[in-house]
Amino acid sequence: MKFQFLTILLMLSMMVNAQENFKKDQIQFERVGKAYTEKWEVLQKFLKSDGFGEDFSMLINAYKAEGKLEVWLKNKSGKKYAIFRIYDFCAHSGKLGPKITEGDLQTPEGFYYINIFNPLSSYYLSLGINYPNEVDVARTGKDRKPGGDIYIHGDCVTVGCIPLTDEKIKEVYLLALEAKNAGQEEIPVNIYPFRMNDGNMKKYGVQFPTQIAFWKTLQPGYVAFEKNSILPTIVQENGKYLIK
């Protein structure tokens, strides 16, 4: 038991060091360092006034039809997220409905997480998401490519990503970096076609009838979070999202 306890402590220590080293490495890049110089002091003031400590977790909700990206935060000791910032998309690509194949210009729809921090992006700074996931691959099928390289980024152009402008991505990038540095391994990024209340489901279901079956698998996750401000457990089984 003592050996197991010491092993766990060692693993936790290694994880903390890896996170701290990640932040130190990121700050060495000119654009990240500049973002901290320009944005972090003001962000810290708002974090404090909104009741968030230095160790917070982060969640992103994005809505394609409304062109909004929401940053939600919660303290490590808390259970519920609270809205912190809302950013406008700077440009749009494709139409409502999920991304299916490489080159279709679609922005994905589904439940993802940040898996890349790119301080040398062609679009200033960028946060990659883990598209395609299992649901995406199942939808695309064996004989087609689902594509990839989906980011939240700076600049104001897109072929399927979510662009926010350079100034806005500085803030989102820093918040994500601080959340990771505080120990959050996966930062959720939930991309919805629209705010998935019943009224919008009926409205957009008429316009895009072939998408309604898929959208019904996203709506329970949206509703659960809207109701409780707690991210439900979302699993991928047989090419579908299941909310537990």
Side-chain angles (χ1 to χ4, degrees):
M1 290 293 293
K2 183 177 181 180
F3 176 77
Q4 291 178 335
F5 179 71
L6 291 174
T7 300
I8 292 172
L9 286 179
L10 178 60
M11 291 177 63
L12 289 174
S13 176
M14 291 174 64
M15 290 173 62
V16 169
N17 288 336
Q19 289 154 1
E20 291 178 347
N21 289 335
F22 179 77
K23 179 180 177 179
K24 290 177 181 177
D25 290 343
Q26 284 279 316
I27 291 177
Q28 300 305 310
F29 291 95
E30 180 181 0
R31 294 172 190 173
V32 180
K34 184 178 181 181
Y36 269 103
T37 300
E38 295 177 355
K39 302 289 186 178
W40 188 236
E41 183 177 353
V42 174
L43 282 174
Q44 280 184 308
K45 290 180 180 179
F46 282 111
L47 286 166
K48 184 177 181 179
S49 65
D50 288 357
F52 299 108
E54 294 183 0
D55 294 342
F56 57 81
S57 295
M58 176 176 170
L59 175 147
I60 291 174
N61 285 334
Y63 303 95
K64 289 166 58 174
E66 293 84 356
K68 302 291 184 181
L69 183 143
E70 299 176 341
V71 172
W72 293 71
L73 304 178
K74 74 176 183 69
N75 288 316
K76 283 290 185 177
S77 58
K79 293 183 178 180
K80 295 187 176 184
Y81 285 90
I83 191 72
F84 180 68
R85 284 287 184 275
I86 301 176
Y87 300 92
D88 292 329
F89 290 20
C90 183
H92 295 262
S93 178
K95 57 186 179 181
L96 296 188
K99 184 172 182 61
I100 298 175
T101 60
E102 186 176 57
D104 64 7
L105 306 183
Q106 287 291 98
T107 300
E109 295 171 6
F111 302 107
Y112 305 96
Y113 59 85
I114 292 172
N115 65 347
I116 296 174
F117 287 73
N118 185 358
L120 296 173
S121 172
S122 299
Y123 306 97
Y124 199 73
L125 296 168
S126 61
L127 298 167
I129 68 169
N130 67 317
Y131 174 91
N133 61 26
E134 293 177 18
V135 174
D136 299 314
V137 171
R139 180 190 304 113
T140 299
K142 295 181 179 180
D143 298 326
R144 299 186 294 181
K145 296 180 179 179
D149 295 329
I150 301 298
Y151 291 86
I152 301 166
H153 61 66
D155 210 332
C156 199
V157 295
T158 180
V159 288
C161 298
I162 298 177
L164 300 178
T165 74
D166 292 354
E167 291 305 306
K168 293 174 184 175
I169 193 60
K170 290 176 185 177
E171 296 187 8
V172 178
Y173 196 95
L174 294 188
L175 291 167
L177 183 53
E178 287 295 321
K180 182 176 176 63
N181 188 61
Q184 188 177 9
E185 290 297 318
E186 294 184 357
I187 299 172
V189 179
N190 308 316
I191 306 177
Y192 298 105
F194 43 81
R195 298 188 185 278
M196 305 194 78
N197 54 57
D198 290 340
N200 278 342
M201 287 290 285
K202 292 178 181 178
K203 171 185 173 181
Y204 290 110
V206 171
Q207 298 178 36
F208 301 92
T210 59
Q211 304 298 343
I212 193 67
F214 169 65
W215 288 343
K216 285 182 177 179
T217 70
L218 298 182
Q219 190 185 28
Y222 168 85
V223 171
F225 187 79
E226 284 290 300
K227 181 179 180 180
N228 302 312
S229 298
I230 298 173
L231 184 66
T233 299
I234 301 168
V235 298
Q236 302 173 51
E237 292 182 3
N238 301 318
K240 296 181 179 180
Y241 294 111
L242 298 177
I243 312 302
K244 296 186 176 181

